[in-house]
């Protein structure tokens, strides 16, 4: 089945209780991400970007509202189906890379395929193929600590793609990288989006991301401030 | 009774929406984790080795004393108390290092869950690690404790020490030691591992030591 919208959110809200105060990290987000789209969430830190990433990725439970992935309400899934969703439908990329430190690049990429039940030879073949595609064919047996930040993030991209997800979610993917390496990662994500048609959702405040995004959603204090197409983007000084 | 077997149906409806993590993969993962986090495993193992060595040593000595002097009931119970105290000290040590070992991997657990791991899969990995460290640490501790117990008497009572009656009790004591090590190790791991595994991935990923 191919659906028009890969992700839909309906009045999505997340409140945190911090002592006496209720913090509204997200407060009624309605968002639709089309299949094959490259969508970036922009906003200052504390605006709710990461919370939105967690909600869409099924990593945290919303206070109110719903998230649909391929038209399935993820709040209705049981533990098995949720694990399956995270494994098969979504690829995650983090600011801090979050590779498993004791595993090599190759093993990190094969891990999600173990959960997906892919046979061993097939796993190896595909992991090598994907790592080659992200330019790490000569680093297969290196552990994360032996790789640079940019290389670690490329392993993370390869891992996110391992099970052919319908959407790749990236939370500040360039946040820990220098300008040049960050640009490399952004271009790689765009290339995957264009060539393989992978839907990409990034939460970022890296303005370099604007160049490659189809749409940019600006959020502020947990609400959608405005949604723009790339050509319309005008960045004000206060947003930098 | 009618039983309908439909391999096609069961394949597509039952299996398709489930993640897999066979115990063999979990076991491989545990071994890799111990090998590559060797120092951490060693710290845990040392606390097991010391506790079990102390326990097995005391028990061995009391067995030997019994067969040489025919020790009184009072002395026996005193020795048993010493052994129990050694185990309590050992348990606290293991609990402490296991708690640290699991807690420092909270973020990793969150990542695993993003990749499709379920709570049970995470628990399985930690259980295998605890059993392996417990058995290895317990075995070394038992051998060290037995040697220590025997060496004290080896000059004067050579023929008594290696009598066949005592041999059986040595093996019993060492088996006891290994079993206790495994139980303590697994027991100390279950709680922190269960706690970390049942966190929402978002909380686990946010976790900082």
């Amino acid at each position: 089945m191919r659906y028009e919208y890969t992700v839909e959110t309906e009045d999505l809200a997340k409140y945190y209780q911090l002592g006496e105060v209720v913090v509204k990290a997200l407060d009624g987000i309605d968002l639709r991400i089309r299949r094959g789209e490259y969508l970036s969430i922009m906003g200052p830190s504390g605006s709710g970007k990461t919370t939105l990433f967690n909600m869409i990725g099924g990593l945290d439970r919303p206070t109110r509202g719903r998230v649909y992935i391929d038209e399935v309400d993820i709040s209705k899934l049981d533990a098995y189906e949720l694990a399956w969703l995270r494994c098969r439908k979504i690829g995650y990329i983090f600011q801090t890379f979050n590779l498993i430190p004791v595993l090599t690049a190759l093993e990190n990429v094969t891990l999600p395929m173990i959960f997906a039940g892919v046979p061993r030879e097939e796993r190896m073949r595909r992991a090598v193929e994907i790592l080659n595609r992200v330019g790490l064919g000569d680093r297969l047996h290196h552990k994360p600590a032996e790789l640079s930040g940019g290389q670690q993030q490329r392993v993370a991209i390869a891992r996110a793609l391992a099970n052919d997800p319908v959407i790749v979610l990236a939370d500040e993917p360039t946040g820990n990288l220098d300008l040049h390496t960050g640009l490399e990662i952004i271009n790689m994500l765009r290339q995957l989006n264009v060539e393989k048609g992978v839907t990409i959702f990034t939460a970022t405040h890296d303005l370099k991301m604007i160049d490659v995004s189809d749409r940019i959603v600006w959020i502020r204090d947990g609400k959608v401030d405005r949604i723009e197409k790339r050509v319309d983007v005008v960045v004000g000084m206060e947003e930098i | 009774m009618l039983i309908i077997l439909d391999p096609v149906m069961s394949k597509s409806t039952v299996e398709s929406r489930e993640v897999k993590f066979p115990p063999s993969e979990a076991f491989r993962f545990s071994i890799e984790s111990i090998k590559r986090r060797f120092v951490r495993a060693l710290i845990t193992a040392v606390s097991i080795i010391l506790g079990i060595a102390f326990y097995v040593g005391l028990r061995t000595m009391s067995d030997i004393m019994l067969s040489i002097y025919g020790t009184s009931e009072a002395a026996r119970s005193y020795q048993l108390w010493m052994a129990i105290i050694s185990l309590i000290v050992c348990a606290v040590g293991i609990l402490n290092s296991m708690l640290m070992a699991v807690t420092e991997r909270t973020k990793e657990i969150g990542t695993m869950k993003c990749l499709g791991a379920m709570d049970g899969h995470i628990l399985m990995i930690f259980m295998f690690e605890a059993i392996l460290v417990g058995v290895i640490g317990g075995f070394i501790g038992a051998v060290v404790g037995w040697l220590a117990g025997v060496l004290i008497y080896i000059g004067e009572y050579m023929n008594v020490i290696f009598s066949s009656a005592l041999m059986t009790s040595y093996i019993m004591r060492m088996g006891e030691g290994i079993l206790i090590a495994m139980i303590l190790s697994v027991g100390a791991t279950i709680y922190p591992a269960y706690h970390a595994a049942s966190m929402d991935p978002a909380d686990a990923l946010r976790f900082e030591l």
Side-chain angles (χ1 to χ4, degrees):
Chain A
M1 264 304 255
R2 310 199 111 193
Y3 303 93
E4 184 179 2
Y5 295 106
T6 302
V7 177
E8 282 177 86
T9 72
E10 239 176 53
D11 189 33
L12 191 63
K14 177 74 176 178
Y15 300 164
Y16 291 102
Q17 186 83 37
L18 280 186
E20 294 285 290
V21 201
V22 175
V23 180
K24 296 180 172 180
L26 289 180
D27 197 11
I29 300 269
D30 291 288
L31 200 63
R32 286 173 153 192
I33 306 174
R34 269 185 227 104
R35 189 162 54 79
E37 188 172 33
Y38 194 126
L39 185 126
S40 291
I41 299 285
M42 294 250 175
S45 39
S47 57
K49 298 189 299 287
T50 298
T51 311
L52 185 56
F53 167 91
N54 287 337
M55 295 300 149
I56 291 179
L59 304 181
D60 205 349
R61 279 176 279 252
T63 312
R64 192 182 76 224
R66 306 205 173 281
V67 175
Y68 299 89
I69 307 272
D70 273 356
E71 299 186 0
V72 174
D73 181 353
I74 65 172
S75 68
K76 296 226 164 70
L77 301 181
D78 61 25
Y80 288 93
E81 293 166 323
L82 198 57
W84 183 84
L85 177 98
R86 291 177 190 142
C87 178
R88 304 295 295 272
K89 291 243 168 184
I90 304 176
Y92 303 85
I93 297 170
F94 304 94
Q95 176 175 5
T96 49
F97 320 131
N98 292 11
L99 300 174
I100 309 293
V102 298
L103 301 182
T104 63
L106 187 67
E107 290 166 329
N108 263 289
V109 178
T110 50
L111 192 56
M113 293 192 263
I114 295 179
F115 292 118
V118 178
R120 193 181 158 76
E121 288 80 41
E122 171 71 6
R123 290 206 289 267
M124 290 298 168
R125 194 187 61 69
R126 266 174 63 188
V128 170
E129 185 193 312
I130 303 171
L131 280 166
N132 271 320
R133 202 193 303 151
V134 298
L136 288 175
D138 54 343
R139 291 283 186 282
L140 298 179
H141 303 292
H142 290 239
K143 270 176 252 160
E146 297 155 6
L147 298 169
S148 71
Q151 288 171 332
Q152 288 189 50
Q153 197 60 302
R154 281 190 273 163
V155 176
I157 292 177
R159 182 180 67 183
L161 294 172
N163 286 329
D164 261 327
V166 293
I167 186 165
V168 170
L169 303 179
D171 184 18
E172 300 277 9
T174 58
N176 276 11
L177 302 173
D178 63 64
L179 195 80
H180 175 73
T181 319
L183 202 58
E184 256 177 41
I185 294 298
I186 290 173
N187 288 332
M188 184 169 285
L189 288 174
R190 180 58 173 177
Q191 200 187 343
L192 289 165
N193 171 248
V194 172
E195 288 174 7
K196 298 207 64 195
V198 187
T199 312
I200 293 187
F201 169 97
T202 66
T204 184
H205 57 235
D206 187 342
L207 295 170
K208 298 193 290 294
M209 203 65 95
I210 292 175
D211 258 357
V212 298
S213 307
D214 296 321
R215 278 195 302 161
I216 296 102
V217 178
W218 300 86
I219 63 170
R220 186 170 283 270
D221 301 327
K223 289 183 173 148
V224 174
D225 194 28
R226 59 184 198 277
I227 302 181
E228 294 174 319
K229 294 208 168 102
R230 185 178 357 157
V231 284
D232 305 330
V233 174
V234 180
V235 179
M237 269 319 280
E238 76 277 6
E239 270 153 354
I240 300 178
Chain B
M1 200 160 82
L2 184 69
I3 301 168
I4 301 166
L5 281 177
D6 186 350
V8 180
M9 272 293 286
S10 62
K11 199 164 182 101
S12 59
T13 55
V14 180
E15 283 186 317
S16 67
R17 295 235 150 184
E18 265 187 34
V19 287
K20 297 185 183 68
F21 198 54
S24 59
E25 290 291 347
F27 190 70
R28 260 178 9 101
F29 195 95
S30 308
I31 289 186
E32 285 303 311
S33 183
I34 291 175
K35 274 204 303 211
R36 294 180 193 176
R37 255 188 275 257
F38 190 68
V39 175
R40 167 55 77 195
L42 203 64
I43 294 171
T44 317
V46 165
S47 71
I48 296 176
I49 291 170
L50 288 178
I52 297 303
F54 194 38
Y55 174 82
V56 174
L58 281 171
R59 303 289 278 163
T60 306
M61 279 160 64
S62 95
D63 287 345
I64 296 171
M65 278 160 77
L66 184 68
S67 65
I68 297 171
Y69 311 113
T71 330
S72 71
E73 198 53 34
R76 288 288 285 179
S77 62
Y78 168 74
Q79 284 156 352
L80 186 66
W81 266 113
M82 289 281 285
I84 290 172
I85 289 167
S86 78
L87 283 183
I88 294 172
V89 174
C90 169
V92 173
I94 297 173
L95 194 65
N96 188 27
S97 49
M98 278 302 187
L99 210 59
M100 270 308 288
V102 179
T103 312
E104 70 183 6
R105 284 164 69 181
T106 305
K107 215 172 165 174
E108 183 181 320
I109 292 170
T111 309
M112 297 275 288
K113 288 182 78 170
C114 288
L115 303 180
M118 300 193 55
D119 301 4
H121 299 150
I122 308 276
L123 268 179
M124 196 156 67
I125 291 173
F126 281 100
M127 282 305 103
F128 279 134
E129 285 191 39
I131 292 171
L132 282 170
V133 171
V135 168
I136 295 169
F139 179 77
I140 298 173
V143 172
V144 171
W146 173 76
L147 277 176
V150 167
L151 281 178
I152 291 174
Y153 297 97
I154 204 153
E156 277 177 273
Y157 302 101
M158 195 66 171
N159 46 347
V160 186
I161 295 171
F162 296 107
S163 65
S164 61
L166 273 176
M167 280 304 191
T168 337
S169 76
Y170 294 152
I171 290 167
M172 287 260 297
R173 294 301 173 218
M174 287 167 77
E176 242 173 60
I178 294 170
L179 192 70
I180 290 169
M182 212 174 78
I183 291 170
L184 287 179
S185 176
V186 170
T189 312
I190 280 180
Y191 172 70
Y194 176 77
H195 177 74
S198 55
M199 276 166 107
D200 272 328
D203 295 326
L205 289 170
R206 226 190 335 257
F207 189 86
E208 295 285 342
L209 264 188

